[in-house]
Amino acid sequence: METMVCPMGGVATRLYSALTQTSSSSPLPLPPPQTPTDTNLDPAFCQGQKASPVCPPDPAELLRQCEEALGDRPPRLHRTFTRLNDGDGIPGSSVRVMQWNILAQALGEGLDSFVQCPPEALSWSRRKYLILEEILTYRPHILCLQEVDHYYDTLQPVLAGLGYSGNFCPKPWSPCLDVEGNNGPDGCALFFDQSRYEFIDSVNIRLSAMRIPTNQVAVVTMLRCRSTGRCVCVVVTHLKARSGWEWLRSAQGSDLLRHLQNLVQKHAGDPAVAPSSDIPLFVCGDFNAVPTEEVYRRFATSPLCLDSAYKKLSQGGLTEPQYTTWKIRPTGECCTTLDYIWYSQDTVRVDTVLDMPTEEQIGPNRLPSFSYPSDHLSLVCDFSFKEKE
């Protein structure tokens, strides 16, 4: 399956100009969003999400301008979709979901120490085009991002011009703030295409472990598909990093699952949201956990009936990819799977999955690089609603 970019008419010059004017040291022009809560799910702030669908500029033209700005960089990673089904689900219900840890600018240039990556490849003046290029290439309907520290000055205004609405939740104690010249805290961001989805509700959650608030967060958003009227609940999160913190990731995952179970129970049967109890879930995130960790098993065995979409690439659909991140730090090389798209297997099916680039494509210096802006690879899947039995 070839990748698609959906032209919609209009002019992208203003967006291109906005990109060229941003810098890694520019201040945040807007006040921060609501403080994440560690209470049960309640209605959260809504800044413009209920606006009518807009006709965005031509993303194909903006993609061309990004490629032009990047000049003679090495070829971008060529990835193809694996088709699993012929899209015979409910007509008009296809949804493309993208999950991606984009690498916080302050961390990439500072604390993460990518010793094999040239400093020029880590500059925001290059990476912002590569990040936007990746998004424009796959044109997701729902976009879930981690390590976002350029939300207000780049991602939000550019994606809003393309018809997306977004929510952002910063980490309470972001490590980005310890880096000189930082652009504010990093956090999780969730965007959705307003032409396809109507906003219903959203909340930012500060994840807890044994009732103690932690530094990790999640954004939970309820949407209604405009063509089918079906509702979906989308979650983006980023769990605690590093070896030795497996117990904390497990506790954070349990806390998030508890929130989601409460949400499903809260909205089940509500005519304003979902007339039945079938509210599909998409849980996207950098879990910082390999598939053998307890937090993975908690999601795989949850009463919410979740499955991991990227297992579909394996023989028999039983195992995760060999890697979703591949980097070299002073401590050595790290090639492993940490990122996932979980979905409700009883109500949603996977139609296509974007494959992983080969070791040869990634190159000996691994990620990030002049070809790719993050140490994590994006995950992209097409889903459709199953017919009710």
Side-chain angles (χ1 to χ4, degrees):
M1 174 179 175
E2 297 180 355
T3 57
M4 294 189 301
V5 176
C6 308
M8 294 186 177
V11 180
T13 305
R14 176 175 59 84
L15 300 179
Y16 176 76
S17 176
L19 269 178
T20 59
Q21 292 172 8
T22 61
S23 70
S24 60
S25 60
S26 57
L28 295 178
L30 296 175
Q34 76 170 53
T35 302
T37 176
D38 57 1
T39 61
N40 233 348
L41 292 174
D42 295 313
F45 72 100
C46 175
Q47 298 178 343
Q49 285 95 335
K50 294 185 179 180
S52 300
V54 295
C55 183
D58 183 355
E61 171 59 17
L62 184 55
L63 177 60
R64 186 195 65 77
Q65 291 179 353
C66 285
E67 292 170 345
E68 182 179 301
L70 289 166
D72 56 354
R73 59 84 188 267
R76 67 190 310 273
L77 300 181
H78 178 69
R79 303 169 66 183
T80 59
F81 282 91
T82 295
R83 179 170 290 281
L84 306 168
N85 294 300
D86 293 327
D88 55 354
I90 296 176
S93 71
S94 178
V95 52
R96 175 165 290 186
V97 178
M98 183 174 186
Q99 147 62 30
W100 195 20
N101 179 331
I102 63 173
L103 176 59
Q105 185 60 31
L107 300 183
E109 289 186 306
L111 302 177
D112 276 353
S113 300
F114 298 114
V115 292
Q116 296 290 82
C117 182
E120 299 81 13
L122 291 170
S123 69
W124 184 241
S125 61
R126 289 189 60 89
R127 291 187 63 243
K128 60 188 177 185
Y129 292 108
L130 286 167
I131 290 170
L132 186 58
E133 179 186 56
E134 184 82 352
I135 295 169
L136 288 167
T137 295
Y138 301 115
R139 197 75 174 100
H141 303 122
I142 296 172
L143 173 62
C144 297
L145 304 176
Q146 300 84 38
E147 292 199 24
V148 176
D149 62 350
H150 276 275
Y151 180 82
Y152 291 109
D153 66 353
T154 303
L155 287 172
Q156 192 279 331
V158 171
L159 292 175
L162 289 167
Y164 288 90
S165 179
N167 283 340
F168 174 65
C169 184
K171 294 176 183 174
W173 317 301
S174 168
C176 292
L177 299 177
D178 295 329
V179 179
E180 185 178 355
N182 69 80
N183 197 61
D186 77 301
C188 294
L190 192 155
F191 294 91
F192 64 91
D193 183 343
Q194 294 183 90
S195 70
R196 297 291 295 263
Y197 287 92
E198 175 188 3
F199 175 86
I200 295 177
D201 191 12
S202 187
V203 67
N204 291 347
I205 301 172
R206 182 174 175 182
L207 298 176
S208 294
M210 296 177 290
R211 301 185 181 277
I212 299 174
T214 69
N215 192 36
Q216 279 64 47
V217 299
V219 179
V220 181
T221 300
M222 186 78 72
L223 304 171
R224 179 183 288 112
C225 177
R226 295 185 184 275
S227 62
T228 66
R230 294 282 297 272
C231 291
V232 296
C233 179
V234 187
V235 186
V236 55
T237 193
H238 188 186
L239 303 186
K240 172 65 180 174
R242 308 301 183 203
S243 173
W245 292 100
E246 291 82 2
W247 67 271
L248 182 57
R249 286 191 285 272
S250 178
Q252 290 174 334
S254 295
D255 187 47
L256 180 56
L257 287 168
R258 177 179 62 84
H259 279 295
L260 297 180
Q261 287 169 327
N262 289 338
L263 176 70
V264 170
Q265 291 172 2
K266 170 185 172 183
H267 287 299
D270 182 355
V273 178
S276 74
S277 60
D278 297 332
I279 303 176
L281 282 166
F282 295 109
V283 184
C284 301
D286 174 359
F287 278 55
N288 277 308
V290 297
T292 55
E293 274 196 36
E294 184 179 3
V295 66
Y296 183 97
R297 291 194 294 272
R298 286 188 182 275
F299 272 76
T301 59
S302 162
L304 295 170
C305 297
L306 300 173
D307 198 8
S308 175
Y310 261 72
K311 285 167 38 180
K312 299 293 185 181
L313 285 179
S314 68
Q315 188 71 29
L318 299 177
T319 58
E320 297 287 351
Q322 289 186 325
Y323 50 83
T324 62
T325 180
W326 202 339
K327 67 201 87 176
I328 301 175
R329 287 177 168 149
T331 53
E333 191 163 349
C334 173
C335 174
T336 191
T337 290
L338 303 175
D339 309 271
Y340 306 95
I341 299 178
W342 297 92
Y343 69 99
S344 299
Q345 55 186 325
D346 289 347
T347 54
V348 174
R349 54 183 244 170
V350 186
D351 293 328
T352 66
V353 181
L354 183 66
D355 67 9
M356 291 297 171
T358 64
E359 178 180 359
E360 182 181 14
Q361 287 177 297
I362 290 173
N365 294 330
R366 310 317 185 198
L367 303 173
S369 67
F370 280 113
S371 296
Y372 204 77
S374 176
D375 55 324
H376 290 253
L377 293 158
S378 65
L379 310 185
V380 185
C381 296
D382 292 323
F383 298 90
S384 59
F385 296 122
K386 291 182 177 179
E387 295 278 4
K388 295 180 181 180
E389 296 181 359

PDB file of all heavy atoms in Angstrom, residues 195-212:
ATOM      1  N   SER A 195     -12.262  17.645  10.554  1.00  0.00           N
ATOM      2  CA  SER A 195     -13.187  17.306   9.473  1.00  0.00           C
ATOM      3  C   SER A 195     -13.729  15.891   9.632  1.00  0.00           C
ATOM      4  O   SER A 195     -14.768  15.552   9.074  1.00  0.00           O
ATOM      5  CB  SER A 195     -12.496  17.446   8.112  1.00  0.00           C
ATOM      6  OG  SER A 195     -11.520  16.436   7.926  1.00  0.00           O
ATOM      7  N   ARG A 196     -13.020  15.065  10.409  1.00  0.00           N
ATOM      8  CA  ARG A 196     -13.435  13.681  10.603  1.00  0.00           C
ATOM      9  C   ARG A 196     -14.064  13.432  11.973  1.00  0.00           C
ATOM     10  O   ARG A 196     -14.895  12.543  12.114  1.00  0.00           O
ATOM     11  CB  ARG A 196     -12.224  12.753  10.454  1.00  0.00           C
ATOM     12  CG  ARG A 196     -11.578  12.771   9.079  1.00  0.00           C
ATOM     13  CD  ARG A 196     -12.486  12.132   8.043  1.00  0.00           C
ATOM     14  NE  ARG A 196     -12.694  10.725   8.293  1.00  0.00           N
ATOM     15  CZ  ARG A 196     -12.006   9.751   7.693  1.00  0.00           C
ATOM     16  NH1 ARG A 196     -11.081  10.047   6.804  1.00  0.00           N
ATOM     17  NH2 ARG A 196     -12.261   8.484   7.976  1.00  0.00           N
ATOM     18  N   TYR A 197     -13.648  14.217  12.971  1.00  0.00           N
ATOM     19  CA  TYR A 197     -14.083  13.949  14.338  1.00  0.00           C
ATOM     20  C   TYR A 197     -14.582  15.205  15.035  1.00  0.00           C
ATOM     21  O   TYR A 197     -14.044  16.293  14.838  1.00  0.00           O
ATOM     22  CB  TYR A 197     -12.943  13.315  15.153  1.00  0.00           C
ATOM     23  CG  TYR A 197     -12.702  11.898  14.743  1.00  0.00           C
ATOM     24  CD1 TYR A 197     -11.772  11.594  13.760  1.00  0.00           C
ATOM     25  CD2 TYR A 197     -13.451  10.860  15.287  1.00  0.00           C
ATOM     26  CE1 TYR A 197     -11.569  10.290  13.344  1.00  0.00           C
ATOM     27  CE2 TYR A 197     -13.267   9.556  14.877  1.00  0.00           C
ATOM     28  CZ  TYR A 197     -12.327   9.272  13.912  1.00  0.00           C
ATOM     29  OH  TYR A 197     -12.153   7.988  13.490  1.00  0.00           O
ATOM     30  N   GLU A 198     -15.591  15.004  15.852  1.00  0.00           N
ATOM     31  CA  GLU A 198     -16.172  16.061  16.672  1.00  0.00           C
ATOM     32  C   GLU A 198     -15.716  15.863  18.115  1.00  0.00           C
ATOM     33  O   GLU A 198     -15.761  14.751  18.647  1.00  0.00           O
ATOM     34  CB  GLU A 198     -17.698  15.998  16.593  1.00  0.00           C
ATOM     35  CG  GLU A 198     -18.410  16.983  17.501  1.00  0.00           C
ATOM     36  CD  GLU A 198     -19.910  16.753  17.519  1.00  0.00           C
ATOM     37  OE1 GLU A 198     -20.380  15.790  16.865  1.00  0.00           O
ATOM     38  OE2 GLU A 198     -20.605  17.517  18.210  1.00  0.00           O
ATOM     39  N   PHE A 199     -15.276  16.930  18.743  1.00  0.00           N
ATOM     40  CA  PHE A 199     -14.820  16.872  20.123  1.00  0.00           C
ATOM     41  C   PHE A 199     -15.996  16.685  21.083  1.00  0.00           C
ATOM     42  O   PHE A 199     -17.025  17.342  20.946  1.00  0.00           O
ATOM     43  CB  PHE A 199     -14.071  18.157  20.472  1.00  0.00           C
ATOM     44  CG  PHE A 199     -13.649  18.258  21.912  1.00  0.00           C
ATOM     45  CD1 PHE A 199     -12.453  17.705  22.329  1.00  0.00           C
ATOM     46  CD2 PHE A 199     -14.448  18.908  22.843  1.00  0.00           C
ATOM     47  CE1 PHE A 199     -12.060  17.794  23.656  1.00  0.00           C
ATOM     48  CE2 PHE A 199     -14.063  19.002  24.165  1.00  0.00           C
ATOM     49  CZ  PHE A 199     -12.866  18.445  24.572  1.00  0.00           C
ATOM     50  N   ILE A 200     -15.830  15.792  22.057  1.00  0.00           N
ATOM     51  CA  ILE A 200     -16.845  15.598  23.096  1.00  0.00           C
ATOM     52  C   ILE A 200     -16.312  15.993  24.467  1.00  0.00           C
ATOM     53  O   ILE A 200     -16.924  16.769  25.190  1.00  0.00           O
ATOM     54  CB  ILE A 200     -17.319  14.129  23.140  1.00  0.00           C
ATOM     55  CG1 ILE A 200     -18.031  13.770  21.840  1.00  0.00           C
ATOM     56  CG2 ILE A 200     -18.262  13.903  24.319  1.00  0.00           C
ATOM     57  CD1 ILE A 200     -18.463  12.319  21.762  1.00  0.00           C
ATOM     58  N   ASP A 201     -15.135  15.475  24.822  1.00  0.00           N
ATOM     59  CA  ASP A 201     -14.633  15.681  26.175  1.00  0.00           C
ATOM     60  C   ASP A 201     -13.142  15.376  26.192  1.00  0.00           C
ATOM     61  O   ASP A 201     -12.645  14.608  25.361  1.00  0.00           O
ATOM     62  CB  ASP A 201     -15.375  14.742  27.145  1.00  0.00           C
ATOM     63  CG  ASP A 201     -15.125  15.064  28.605  1.00  0.00           C
ATOM     64  OD1 ASP A 201     -14.565  16.144  28.879  1.00  0.00           O
ATOM     65  OD2 ASP A 201     -15.484  14.245  29.469  1.00  0.00           O
ATOM     66  N   SER A 202     -12.408  15.988  27.121  1.00  0.00           N
ATOM     67  CA  SER A 202     -10.990  15.693  27.256  1.00  0.00           C
ATOM     68  C   SER A 202     -10.536  15.986  28.676  1.00  0.00           C
ATOM     69  O   SER A 202     -11.108  16.846  29.355  1.00  0.00           O
ATOM     70  CB  SER A 202     -10.157  16.530  26.270  1.00  0.00           C
ATOM     71  OG  SER A 202      -8.802  16.121  26.288  1.00  0.00           O
ATOM     72  N   VAL A 203      -9.527  15.253  29.098  1.00  0.00           N
ATOM     73  CA  VAL A 203      -8.962  15.474  30.432  1.00  0.00           C
ATOM     74  C   VAL A 203      -7.477  15.150  30.403  1.00  0.00           C
ATOM     75  O   VAL A 203      -7.035  14.270  29.663  1.00  0.00           O
ATOM     76  CB  VAL A 203      -9.683  14.610  31.497  1.00  0.00           C
ATOM     77  CG1 VAL A 203      -9.419  13.140  31.282  1.00  0.00           C
ATOM     78  CG2 VAL A 203      -9.291  15.028  32.905  1.00  0.00           C
ATOM     79  N   ASN A 204      -6.720  15.921  31.170  1.00  0.00           N
ATOM     80  CA  ASN A 204      -5.307  15.637  31.379  1.00  0.00           C
ATOM     81  C   ASN A 204      -5.147  14.945  32.721  1.00  0.00           C
ATOM     82  O   ASN A 204      -5.709  15.395  33.728  1.00  0.00           O
ATOM     83  CB  ASN A 204      -4.484  16.928  31.363  1.00  0.00           C
ATOM     84  CG  ASN A 204      -4.427  17.565  29.987  1.00  0.00           C
ATOM     85  OD1 ASN A 204      -4.783  16.939  28.993  1.00  0.00           O
ATOM     86  ND2 ASN A 204      -3.983  18.803  29.933  1.00  0.00           N
ATOM     87  N   ILE A 205      -4.385  13.862  32.736  1.00  0.00           N
ATOM     88  CA  ILE A 205      -4.222  13.069  33.945  1.00  0.00           C
ATOM     89  C   ILE A 205      -2.755  13.052  34.355  1.00  0.00           C
ATOM     90  O   ILE A 205      -1.874  12.845  33.526  1.00  0.00           O
ATOM     91  CB  ILE A 205      -4.677  11.620  33.717  1.00  0.00           C
ATOM     92  CG1 ILE A 205      -6.147  11.564  33.299  1.00  0.00           C
ATOM     93  CG2 ILE A 205      -4.461  10.777  34.973  1.00  0.00           C
ATOM     94  CD1 ILE A 205      -6.578  10.179  32.876  1.00  0.00           C
ATOM     95  N   ARG A 206      -2.535  13.268  35.623  1.00  0.00           N
ATOM     96  CA  ARG A 206      -1.213  13.036  36.196  1.00  0.00           C
ATOM     97  C   ARG A 206      -1.234  11.634  36.803  1.00  0.00           C
ATOM     98  O   ARG A 206      -1.997  11.358  37.727  1.00  0.00           O
ATOM     99  CB  ARG A 206      -0.901  14.079  37.268  1.00  0.00           C
ATOM    100  CG  ARG A 206       0.477  13.938  37.881  1.00  0.00           C
ATOM    101  CD  ARG A 206       0.720  15.096  38.815  1.00  0.00           C
ATOM    102  NE  ARG A 206       1.977  14.957  39.520  1.00  0.00           N
ATOM    103  CZ  ARG A 206       2.408  15.833  40.426  1.00  0.00           C
ATOM    104  NH1 ARG A 206       1.661  16.890  40.728  1.00  0.00           N
ATOM    105  NH2 ARG A 206       3.561  15.655  41.016  1.00  0.00           N
ATOM    106  N   LEU A 207      -0.418  10.755  36.252  1.00  0.00           N
ATOM    107  CA  LEU A 207      -0.448   9.360  36.674  1.00  0.00           C
ATOM    108  C   LEU A 207       0.117   9.191  38.083  1.00  0.00           C
ATOM    109  O   LEU A 207       1.070   9.880  38.472  1.00  0.00           O
ATOM    110  CB  LEU A 207       0.330   8.501  35.692  1.00  0.00           C
ATOM    111  CG  LEU A 207      -0.216   8.466  34.258  1.00  0.00           C
ATOM    112  CD1 LEU A 207       0.707   7.663  33.362  1.00  0.00           C
ATOM    113  CD2 LEU A 207      -1.627   7.905  34.220  1.00  0.00           C
ATOM    114  N   SER A 208      -0.474   8.265  38.815  1.00  0.00           N
ATOM    115  CA  SER A 208      -0.050   7.980  40.179  1.00  0.00           C
ATOM    116  C   SER A 208       0.495   6.568  40.286  1.00  0.00           C
ATOM    117  O   SER A 208       0.183   5.699  39.468  1.00  0.00           O
ATOM    118  CB  SER A 208      -1.226   8.148  41.152  1.00  0.00           C
ATOM    119  OG  SER A 208      -1.642   9.496  41.211  1.00  0.00           O
ATOM    120  N   ALA A 209       1.299   6.356  41.311  1.00  0.00           N
ATOM    121  CA  ALA A 209       1.795   5.025  41.661  1.00  0.00           C
ATOM    122  C   ALA A 209       1.543   4.831  43.144  1.00  0.00           C
ATOM    123  O   ALA A 209       2.079   5.579  43.962  1.00  0.00           O
ATOM    124  CB  ALA A 209       3.286   4.899  41.347  1.00  0.00           C
ATOM    125  N   MET A 210       0.688   3.872  43.465  1.00  0.00           N
ATOM    126  CA  MET A 210       0.307   3.630  44.855  1.00  0.00           C
ATOM    127  C   MET A 210      -0.195   4.923  45.510  1.00  0.00           C
ATOM    128  O   MET A 210       0.192   5.286  46.607  1.00  0.00           O
ATOM    129  CB  MET A 210       1.479   3.030  45.633  1.00  0.00           C
ATOM    130  CG  MET A 210       1.891   1.667  45.110  1.00  0.00           C
ATOM    131  SD  MET A 210       3.322   0.961  45.945  1.00  0.00           S
ATOM    132  CE  MET A 210       4.605   2.052  45.327  1.00  0.00           C
ATOM    133  N   ARG A 211      -1.024   5.629  44.759  1.00  0.00           N
ATOM    134  CA  ARG A 211      -1.682   6.864  45.187  1.00  0.00           C
ATOM    135  C   ARG A 211      -0.738   8.053  45.330  1.00  0.00           C
ATOM    136  O   ARG A 211      -1.128   9.120  45.809  1.00  0.00           O
ATOM    137  CB  ARG A 211      -2.459   6.654  46.493  1.00  0.00           C
ATOM    138  CG  ARG A 211      -3.540   5.589  46.402  1.00  0.00           C
ATOM    139  CD  ARG A 211      -4.365   5.508  47.671  1.00  0.00           C
ATOM    140  NE  ARG A 211      -5.388   4.473  47.578  1.00  0.00           N
ATOM    141  CZ  ARG A 211      -6.577   4.629  47.010  1.00  0.00           C
ATOM    142  NH1 ARG A 211      -6.889   5.801  46.477  1.00  0.00           N
ATOM    143  NH2 ARG A 211      -7.442   3.635  46.966  1.00  0.00           N
ATOM    144  N   ILE A 212       0.502   7.897  44.899  1.00  0.00           N
ATOM    145  CA  ILE A 212       1.457   9.002  44.953  1.00  0.00           C
ATOM    146  C   ILE A 212       1.613   9.569  43.546  1.00  0.00           C
ATOM    147  O   ILE A 212       1.943   8.834  42.612  1.00  0.00           O
ATOM    148  CB  ILE A 212       2.821   8.522  45.483  1.00  0.00           C
ATOM    149  CG1 ILE A 212       2.665   7.968  46.892  1.00  0.00           C
ATOM    150  CG2 ILE A 212       3.831   9.664  45.459  1.00  0.00           C
ATOM    151  CD1 ILE A 212       3.932   7.341  47.434  1.00  0.00           C
TER     152      ILE A 212
END
